């Protein structure tokens, strides 16, 4: 990595520039660094960034997509044990909570393996304080992770792998494609040069000027609350919300609002989330709400990510638009992007995620 520090016009160079320092960008950078690539990351932790604001569900079973997209989701979940293990040096207590419970209504669930139905009594034995009069469906491989701790762990590991100068806190406002590579210009006026660039700026990816095409990624606001009690041991979905236990609090979410980059919260929504959670677990209605916030999911029209090379400018790699599955898809996205940049056959079929699916006929 070359760093000429002669003022705003100086250019810092690396083989690969990753634009975006959320879970996706950091996971890609770490994968590249571990393979020996010369890499740098640039990003700004804006209010509402999904990596911090999300609930941390790892649940490919909740909204199944057709094959081979579903295979990519399932593969990423399978990578999680090794993914977390690789961060032990910086986050020894980071772990996945395995087992996702979906509270059933009066209908009998049609369950595909590896899920199975639990009766009311079986549910009570597993989660005594959960109200599930018709039982639950458990997905034992699905679960959750503390995404805030995961983000901090990835940042720490990336700084170790790249050095302090390899991770810059600055927002990229534009890129320029040149014969000798791509130059990114940041809000501070810095210029960053790389032979290849990965676009992983989440909900802000489409705001970068100079891209070779329009990127159909926009922010979708999701309001959440945290309640200061942990009566449950497993993440639970039901009554129109998801409930995720953490060390000292329980997260409840979430809404899906087309509100641009607005990250405000409102009392009525918080009360609705709280009431829905209390109906699932009355102990959550008895405890104090400790905070409320809103995150910005980077959504695409079909809710699938955009992963792959630009068809006209292959020095640009897309890794954006992960919608509500960015935490889940981080490990597989990192492996896929590293393979693309190395020019080697990747382990996944990325055709469902190509940017070309949004090109009009």
């Amino acid at each position: 990595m070359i760093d000429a520090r002669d003022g705003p016009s100086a250019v810092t160079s690396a083989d690969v520039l990753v634009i975006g320092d959320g879970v996706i960008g950091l996971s890609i950078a770490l994968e590249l660094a571990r393979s020996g690539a010369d890499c740098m990351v640039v990003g700004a932790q804006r209010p509402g960034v999904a990596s911090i604001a999300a609930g941390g569900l790892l649940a490919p079973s909740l909204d199944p997509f057709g094959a081979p997209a579903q295979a990519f989701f399932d593969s990423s979940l399978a990578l999680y044990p090794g993914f977390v293990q690789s961060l032990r040096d910086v986050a020894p207590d980071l772990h996945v909570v395995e087992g996702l419970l979906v509270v059933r209504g009066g209908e009998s669930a049609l369950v595909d393996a590896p899920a199975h139905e639990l009766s009311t009594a079986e549910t009570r034995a597993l989660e005594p304080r959960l109200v599930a009069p018709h039982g639950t469906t458990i997905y034992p491989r699905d679960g959750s992770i503390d995404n805030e701790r995961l983000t901090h762990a990835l940042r720490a590991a990336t700084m170790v792998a790249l050095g302090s100068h390899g991770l810059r806190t600055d927002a990229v406002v534009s890129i320029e494609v040149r014969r000798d590579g791509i130059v990114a210009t940041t809000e501070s006026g810095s210029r960053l040069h790389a032979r290849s660039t990965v676009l992983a700026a989440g909900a802000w990816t489409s705001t970068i000027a100079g891209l070779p095409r329009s990127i159909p990624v926009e922010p979708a606001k999701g309001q959440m609350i945290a309640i200061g009690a942990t009566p449950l041991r497993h993440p639970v979905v039901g009554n129109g919300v998801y409930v995720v236990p953490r060390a000292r609090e329980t997260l409840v979410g979430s809404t899906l609002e087309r509100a641009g980059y607005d990250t405000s919260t409102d009392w009525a929504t918080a009360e609705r989330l709280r009431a829905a959670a209390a109906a699932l677990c009355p102990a959550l209605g008895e405890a104090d709400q400790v905070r409320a916030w809103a995150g910005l999911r980077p959504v695409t029209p079909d809710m699938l990510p955009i992963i792959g090379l630009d068809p006209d400018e292959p020095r640009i790699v897309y890794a954006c638009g992960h919608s509500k599955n960015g935490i889940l898809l981080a490990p597989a996205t990192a492996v896929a992007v590293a393979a693309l940049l190395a020019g080697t056959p990747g382990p996944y079929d990325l055709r469902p995620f190509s940017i070309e699916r949004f090109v009009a006929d």
Side-chain angles (χ1 to χ4, degrees):
M1 187 179 298
I2 302 171
D3 192 354
R5 297 178 177 275
D6 297 322
S9 62
V11 178
T12 302
S13 296
D15 286 342
V16 181
L17 172 65
V18 178
I19 301 176
D21 62 346
V23 164
I24 296 295
L26 292 171
S27 298
I28 292 169
L30 193 55
E31 183 76 17
L32 291 171
R34 287 170 173 166
S35 68
D38 177 27
C39 174
M40 61 180 167
V41 184
V42 60
Q45 291 290 309
R46 296 179 172 97
V49 63
S51 296
I52 298 295
L57 283 180
L58 305 175
S61 304
L62 286 187
D63 298 300
F65 296 96
Q70 189 64 36
F72 185 75
F73 280 60
D74 293 338
S75 295
S76 199
L77 180 64
L79 290 175
Y80 245 92
F83 184 56
V84 171
Q85 182 62 38
S86 72
L87 300 171
R88 288 293 182 222
D89 288 346
V90 294
D93 297 327
L94 185 67
H95 67 283
V96 172
V97 177
E98 295 183 338
L100 171 69
L101 293 172
V102 178
V103 176
R104 296 202 306 270
E107 79 286 351
S108 177
L110 297 176
V111 180
D112 295 326
H116 57 274
E117 297 185 20
L118 297 180
S119 67
T120 303
E122 290 171 325
T123 298
R124 187 179 300 115
L126 189 64
E127 287 286 2
R129 306 182 79 174
L130 179 65
V131 176
H134 302 288
T136 59
T137 301
I138 184 168
Y139 296 86
R141 294 192 306 183
D142 291 18
S144 66
I145 192 167
D146 187 330
N147 50 283
E148 188 169 357
R149 294 183 63 196
L150 173 64
T151 303
H152 293 321
L154 285 167
R155 179 174 289 274
T158 302
M159 288 189 69
V160 171
L162 299 181
S164 59
H165 298 306
L167 182 57
R168 291 171 170 253
T169 301
D170 206 351
V172 171
V173 296
S174 66
I175 65 169
E176 179 184 359
V177 180
R178 300 179 177 179
R179 294 181 60 184
D180 64 341
I182 297 168
V183 174
T185 301
T186 70
E187 284 183 342
S188 70
S190 296
R191 292 190 299 154
L192 310 172
H193 174 270
R195 291 192 296 181
S196 298
T197 296
V198 179
L199 295 175
W204 290 268
T205 301
S206 60
T207 68
I208 299 172
L211 299 178
R213 65 190 66 245
S214 176
I215 309 299
V217 175
E218 63 175 326
K221 177 179 173 180
Q223 295 189 51
M224 297 186 65
I225 63 171
I227 297 173
T230 55
L232 301 173
R233 294 181 298 150
H234 299 80
V236 176
V237 174
N239 203 25
V241 297
Y242 57 81
V243 178
V244 183
R246 293 277 174 87
R248 297 180 179 83
E249 61 186 17
T250 298
L251 276 54
V252 184
S254 173
T255 63
L256 181 62
E257 307 169 47
R258 304 289 177 157
Y261 292 96
D262 171 42
T263 58
S264 63
T265 60
D266 64 86
W267 178 87
T269 298
E271 284 300 299
R272 179 176 61 80
L273 293 172
R274 181 182 177 86
L280 290 173
C281 180
L284 293 174
E286 299 166 0
D288 293 333
Q289 176 183 314
V290 294
R291 56 194 175 104
W293 68 98
L296 300 175
R297 304 182 189 94
V299 301
T300 64
D302 60 7
M303 302 300 285
L304 289 174
I306 302 170
I307 306 172
L309 304 175
D310 185 90
D312 299 322
E313 182 43 74
R315 292 174 295 179
I316 293 178
V317 184
Y318 298 105
C320 55
H322 288 73
S323 302
K324 59 182 180 179
N325 288 298
I327 306 301
L328 166 66
L329 296 179
T333 300
V335 171
V337 169
L340 288 171
L341 289 168
T344 59
Y348 311 116
D349 183 353
L350 298 179
R351 287 176 296 177
F353 315 122
S354 170
I355 186 70
E356 294 182 271
R357 73 188 191 271
F358 298 116
V359 177
D361 295 331

